[in-house]
Amino acid sequence: MSIRSESEPQPAVELSPVPAQRGLIQRVADRFPAVESYAYSDFRWLWLGALTSYLGMNMQWITRSWLVIELADASPLALASVIVTFALPMTVISPIGGVLADRFSRRKMMLYTQAGNAVLTLAVGVLDFAGVIELWHVIVSGLINGSLMAFNMPSRQAMVSDIIPQSKLMNGMSLMSSAMNVTRIIGPAIAGVLIIFVGTEGVFFLISAVYLTAFLAILPIKVGNEGKERSGKSMYGDIIAGLAYARSASPLFGLIIMSFIPILFGMSLYALMPAWAWESLQVGSDNLGGLYAVMGVGALMGSLGLASMPRFKRRGMLLLGSCVIWGILLATVAKMGSYAVVMPLLLVMGLVSSMFMSLIMTLVQTYTSAEMRGRMMSIVMMTFGAMPLSALPLGALAEQIGSGNALFASGIMLAVFTVVFAIVYPSFLKIK
């Protein structure tokens, strides 16, 4: 397997930290390697935009789930169906989002999609407030939200490489993951508590305001205003070129295959958590938010720990190891019936899952040339669209055998398929 040298590929734009003249943020970044990417002004705004966008998404996740519990009597299949409507557009639309991220202004793509999310969430809140919200409204809004995410994420992730030099890419990607993980801590907890006081409709109004804040955070970014040079191909031709590029590059192909496994089996807990917590732990919306939040704490620890690490060898081995541990922990958690016992296990599961996701994003960008990064990020986003391939069957299975047993099976399959992948593709263990 041929692996490119550490110096390749170089980011399309490599900017020096914007001098404030060595202001406080720059001095902190110099002193603490874990946050060195904050020395770049555009990165700070990009990170803030990601933080607020992910906050809205995580608040919306639990609010929408709780609304479905009320509308559909806590049906696991109904919950899985709503997850499908959000995830499916990532498979269908992400390739188009990736091509657009390589053709047009990445900054404008993020602005348009954040504005769309704000308006859509406001509309859902109005329907809920008026008392006319129905399950199909939630499903349709999920489809649109997922579509907007499919356009947003390739541009957001590819822009990190436009701002951060190659030598600091793992730090930048880990800090971007930390933005998501911070919101996984506070987003569900805030939403879970607020549902008690202002109802789901009030939380939807707040989420709309959060998305508007994400829109405003993107405005000061200077990088990403111009599209890349056109390839001369049609959009379909660019999509095919991106897929061919992914297939021909040995590290990339293995990374993309590996990214599917935890999406199919490891993410099942996110889809079935409300139903499982209701059945096994008898929790309300506030404690449900606590379960999501403790996973977010672990995830934040994992992403910041990875950001603090210098460049190290055998990142492929770390990737596979974290996935196996993830599966074992999921299977164990599924069989627990105590809130106090589950919490520390979820903490560790959040940590290893975060390390896995940060490493995948870092390695894909490391082994991708600048003109292909939007499309490669879209392919990684497509793996999130594979969630319905397991969410719906697992939701149906949970209806028959219980959510705990369905999650146990999912965790075992995650660990087993990872081990099988390592056996079939031993060179993956040597990826640096």
Side-chain angles (χ1 to χ4, degrees):
M1 178 179 67
S2 172
I3 298 178
R4 294 181 185 140
S5 66
E6 189 172 337
S7 62
E8 293 181 16
Q10 290 297 323
V13 179
E14 184 168 321
L15 303 176
S16 299
V18 175
Q21 298 291 3
R22 305 313 301 166
L24 175 62
I25 295 176
Q26 283 78 21
R27 293 199 300 272
V28 170
D30 289 343
R31 191 176 184 85
F32 300 101
V35 295
E36 61 182 349
S37 295
Y38 288 143
Y40 299 82
S41 175
D42 277 348
F43 181 83
R44 294 196 298 272
W45 287 113
L46 183 68
W47 187 89
L48 181 60
L51 179 73
T52 47
S53 179
Y54 293 144
L55 177 61
M57 184 179 71
N58 280 288
M59 291 177 67
Q60 194 168 32
W61 188 286
I62 190 171
T63 307
R64 181 180 285 151
S65 296
W66 197 256
L67 181 59
V68 171
I69 284 176
E70 294 176 345
L71 293 174
D73 239 358
S75 165
L77 186 57
L79 281 166
S81 298
V82 171
I83 297 299
V84 167
T85 63
F86 182 81
L88 195 59
M90 298 219 181
T91 297
V92 178
I93 298 175
S94 278
I96 301 174
V99 170
L100 294 178
D102 286 335
R103 285 187 175 194
F104 301 111
S105 165
R106 292 169 179 171
R107 176 178 172 273
K108 289 179 181 177
M109 286 286 290
M110 290 190 294
L111 286 170
Y112 297 151
T113 52
Q114 293 294 13
N117 272 322
V119 172
L120 177 65
T121 307
L122 179 63
V124 173
V126 170
L127 290 173
D128 196 8
F129 179 76
V132 297
I133 191 81
E134 297 181 16
L135 185 60
W136 73 267
H137 292 132
V138 183
I139 290 173
V140 170
S141 67
L143 281 169
I144 300 173
N145 275 135
S147 301
L148 291 170
M149 186 66 69
F151 286 114
N152 181 289
M153 290 298 289
S155 290
R156 185 188 300 281
Q157 297 296 333
M159 193 178 284
V160 177
S161 297
D162 292 341
I163 299 170
I164 303 297
Q166 182 75 14
S167 60
K168 299 179 182 179
L169 186 56
M170 189 169 81
N171 178 264
M173 294 305 298
S174 297
L175 289 175
M176 289 296 287
S177 292
S178 76
M180 174 177 281
N181 295 329
V182 166
T183 63
R184 285 173 60 187
I185 301 169
I186 61 175
I190 292 171
V193 172
L194 285 179
I195 287 171
I196 297 173
F197 296 102
V198 299
T200 51
E201 66 277 12
V203 181
F204 280 126
F205 292 143
L206 178 60
I207 294 167
S208 179
V210 171
Y211 281 133
L212 178 60
T213 304
F215 173 90
L216 295 175
I218 297 165
L219 289 174
I221 296 175
K222 300 177 182 67
V223 168
N225 279 309
E226 301 297 329
K228 304 297 179 183
E229 186 176 345
R230 300 291 182 88
S231 65
K233 298 185 178 71
S234 65
M235 183 170 291
Y236 175 77
D238 275 344
I239 292 172
I240 295 302
L243 293 173
Y245 179 84
R247 178 65 183 86
S248 64
S250 180
L252 275 178
F253 188 56
L255 287 164
I256 289 167
I257 292 174
M258 190 57 219
S259 67
F260 272 95
I261 297 175
I263 295 299
L264 288 173
F265 304 116
M267 294 295 183
S268 55
L269 182 60
Y270 293 93
L272 296 181
M273 175 85 89
W276 168 75
W278 180 280
E279 293 173 12
S280 300
L281 305 179
Q282 291 81 49
V283 302
S285 67
D286 51 348
N287 285 331
L288 175 61
L291 293 174
Y292 281 113
V294 76
M295 291 183 69
V297 171
L300 180 60
M301 292 167 59
S303 57
L304 291 179
L306 200 62
S308 303
M309 292 181 184
R311 171 107 185 201
F312 56 92
K313 297 180 179 179
R314 297 299 177 94
R315 288 190 285 188
M317 185 177 293
L318 178 59
L319 199 69
L320 294 175
S322 63
C323 209
V324 170
I325 295 171
W326 185 354
I328 294 171
L329 286 169
L330 176 56
T332 304
V333 164
K335 288 299 185 180
M336 297 293 106
S338 166
Y339 193 84
V341 172
V342 160
M343 294 291 271
L345 295 175
L346 290 178
L347 180 77
V348 180
M349 184 158 60
L351 187 150
V352 296
S353 63
S354 172
M355 291 184 70
F356 177 89
M357 298 306 294
S358 295
L359 273 172
I360 278 283
M361 292 292 189
T362 300
L363 290 169
V364 167
Q365 293 223 32
T366 298
Y367 294 111
T368 301
S369 59
E371 68 274 9
M372 285 286 182
R373 285 194 181 119
R375 276 166 281 183
M376 291 308 100
M377 287 296 99
S378 75
I379 292 175
V380 175
M381 292 302 107
M382 284 174 64
T383 64
F384 286 90
M387 193 187 295
L389 300 178
S390 64
L392 275 179
L394 282 169
L397 182 63
E399 296 270 6
Q400 303 300 318
I401 66 174
S403 299
N405 290 328
L407 288 172
F408 176 80
S410 184
I412 294 298
M413 286 188 284
L414 173 57
V416 168
F417 275 93
T418 303
V419 171
V420 169
F421 177 85
I423 293 171
V424 173
Y425 194 175
S427 60
F428 193 90
L429 295 169
K430 299 177 183 177
I431 290 179
K432 296 179 180 180

